[in-house]
Amino acid sequence: NAVRLVCKKMHRKGDFMTDLQLLNDIVESLREFVKSDAITMKLGNEYKDLKVYPQDLPEKYDEDDEELRNYVVVMIADEDVVDDEWRVEVHFSINIEDMDNDHSGWVNVMYLMNEIYRHFIKVGIVGRHTRMERKAHKRFNPNVLYPYFESDLITYWTLPTPCEEFDEMEVSI
């Protein structure tokens, strides 16, 4: 069976990509993108010290902890198998501190969501086997108090499911 042979070859080479590898690859790509000066705030000079974290925020040490300002948390959310592939929901949870009196932080958050989306569409394949689907959703959090602005860019990625394993005697490649 050709499908079984391809599957076994992928496992032998170590090419099977997991959601943990996907998370790490997305975080690495986003960190490089943010550091590259490829984006600036729509209403300002730059995204000052924008940090990128995998899955969760670091531990909070005090109220003025700089690590908890101006960040993107890349987070794996729901995962479902559809047509023999994992459909992985990935959130880019954004928090920006913007002290401007005109409360322009929403514009900067929306702009950052657009830039992140555009980046991963342009990059195409991330890691070894996957790309972000064009389908996405933006969720704004109106309950955050000034000077903070928060939103989620929700994206969808596809990963191969694991394959049935074979005994070496059963299939020769």
Side-chain angles (χ1 to χ4, degrees), residues 2-56:
V3 173
R4 288 182 177 174
L5 293 176
V6 169
C7 187
K8 182 153 183 178
K9 286 179 185 177
M10 286 179 62
H11 280 290
R12 264 202 184 155
K13 291 185 203 172
D15 287 342
F16 181 70
M17 185 174 198
T18 67
D19 49 2
L20 295 173
Q21 290 165 318
L22 174 64
L23 177 65
N24 291 333
D25 289 343
I26 291 171
V27 167
E28 182 180 321
S29 179
L30 187 57
R31 282 179 178 157
E32 288 173 17
F33 178 62
V34 168
K35 286 180 186 175
S36 72
D37 295 327
I39 56 173
T40 58
M41 280 198 274
K42 190 72 173 161
L43 300 175
N45 293 334
E46 60 187 28
Y47 285 95
K48 183 182 175 192
D49 301 321
L50 188 64
K51 295 163 274 310
V52 179
Y53 299 117
Q55 203 64 21
D56 204 353

Side-chain angles (χ1 to χ4, degrees), residues 3-171:
V3 173
R4 288 182 177 174
L5 293 176
V6 169
C7 187
K8 182 153 183 178
K9 286 179 185 177
M10 286 179 62
H11 280 290
R12 264 202 184 155
K13 291 185 203 172
D15 287 342
F16 181 70
M17 185 174 198
T18 67
D19 49 2
L20 295 173
Q21 290 165 318
L22 174 64
L23 177 65
N24 291 333
D25 289 343
I26 291 171
V27 167
E28 182 180 321
S29 179
L30 187 57
R31 282 179 178 157
E32 288 173 17
F33 178 62
V34 168
K35 286 180 186 175
S36 72
D37 295 327
I39 56 173
T40 58
M41 280 198 274
K42 190 72 173 161
L43 300 175
N45 293 334
E46 60 187 28
Y47 285 95
K48 183 182 175 192
D49 301 321
L50 188 64
K51 295 163 274 310
V52 179
Y53 299 117
Q55 203 64 21
D56 204 353
L57 288 172
E59 187 176 335
K60 184 176 183 176
Y61 292 105
D62 62 54
E63 289 301 315
D64 295 325
D65 197 340
E66 290 294 322
E67 297 300 308
L68 301 177
R69 292 189 190 132
N70 299 322
Y71 61 80
V72 178
V73 175
V74 180
M75 181 179 344
I76 300 286
D78 293 341
E79 299 181 61
D80 297 296
V81 174
V82 178
D83 297 326
D84 281 340
E85 294 183 310
W86 279 108
R87 186 158 191 255
V88 182
E89 185 177 293
V90 177
H91 291 233
F92 295 87
S93 295
I94 300 166
N95 177 291
I96 299 293
E97 179 184 39
D98 190 334
M99 301 297 276
D100 291 342
N101 289 331
D102 65 357
H103 297 253
S104 61
W106 288 115
V107 173
N108 290 321
V109 168
M110 287 187 272
Y111 185 75
L112 181 56
M113 285 193 289
N114 292 336
E115 290 298 305
I116 290 170
Y117 179 83
R118 185 177 298 125
H119 168 70
F120 284 106
I121 290 296
K122 285 168 88 174
V123 164
I125 303 241
V126 173
R128 294 185 295 237
H129 301 296
T130 191
R131 69 181 60 200
M132 185 179 79
E133 296 176 12
R134 290 194 175 272
K135 178 183 175 182
H137 178 77
K138 294 178 183 178
R139 181 176 298 141
F140 299 96
N141 184 353
N143 300 320
V144 178
L145 300 176
Y146 172 83
Y148 299 101
F149 300 86
E150 289 184 354
S151 292
D152 268 11
L153 171 63
I154 302 167
T155 60
Y156 303 92
W157 302 69
T158 304
L159 293 173
T161 56
C163 301
E164 182 179 346
E165 293 185 19
F166 296 95
D167 205 336
E168 288 296 320
M169 300 297 286
E170 201 175 323
V171 178

